[in-house]
Amino acid sequence: EQARRNVVEQQQKLIVEESLRRARELLLSDPDGSATLLKQNLSSVRDNPEIGDRLRSRLVAQLETLLRDVQTRGAFIKQQ
């Protein structure tokens, strides 16, 4: 059971890392798409019962931090 949980947690970390990278790439060309991607991943992490609370908290914090940045910078970018 622990080995399976470790695999699931590793997969979730990789998914979030890729999402963070992709959201940063999208920010300049598609700020709304970037925010949507982060919101979808945030929901997925929060609702995933197969990852531990500590990992969930860390991933949620990473996603929320970038989402705030994307929303702030995205609003500025769209005004340009």
Side-chain angles (χ1 to χ4, degrees), residues 31-44:
D32 291 335
S34 178
T36 298
L37 175 66
L38 292 169
K39 288 175 187 176
Q40 290 170 342
N41 277 274
L42 194 51
S43 177
S44 174

Side-chain angles (χ1 to χ4, degrees), residues 37-77:
L37 175 66
L38 292 169
K39 288 175 187 176
Q40 290 170 342
N41 277 274
L42 194 51
S43 177
S44 174
V45 169
R46 284 184 177 142
D47 296 341
N48 188 342
E50 296 186 23
I51 61 174
D53 291 339
R54 206 161 85 202
L55 175 62
R56 179 179 297 103
S57 294
R58 190 170 80 233
L59 296 177
V60 164
Q62 290 175 338
L63 289 161
E64 286 177 338
T65 298
L66 186 56
L67 179 58
R68 280 191 300 274
D69 185 50
V70 162
Q71 289 171 330
T72 302
R73 292 176 59 199
F76 178 77
I77 290 166

Side-chain angles (χ1 to χ4, degrees), residues 15-37:
I15 290 167
V16 169
E17 287 170 10
E18 176 61 22
S19 297
L20 294 170
R21 185 192 64 73
R22 183 73 182 126
R24 288 184 189 102
E25 285 178 359
L26 276 174
L27 178 58
L28 294 177
S29 63
D30 184 7
D32 291 335
S34 178
T36 298
L37 175 66

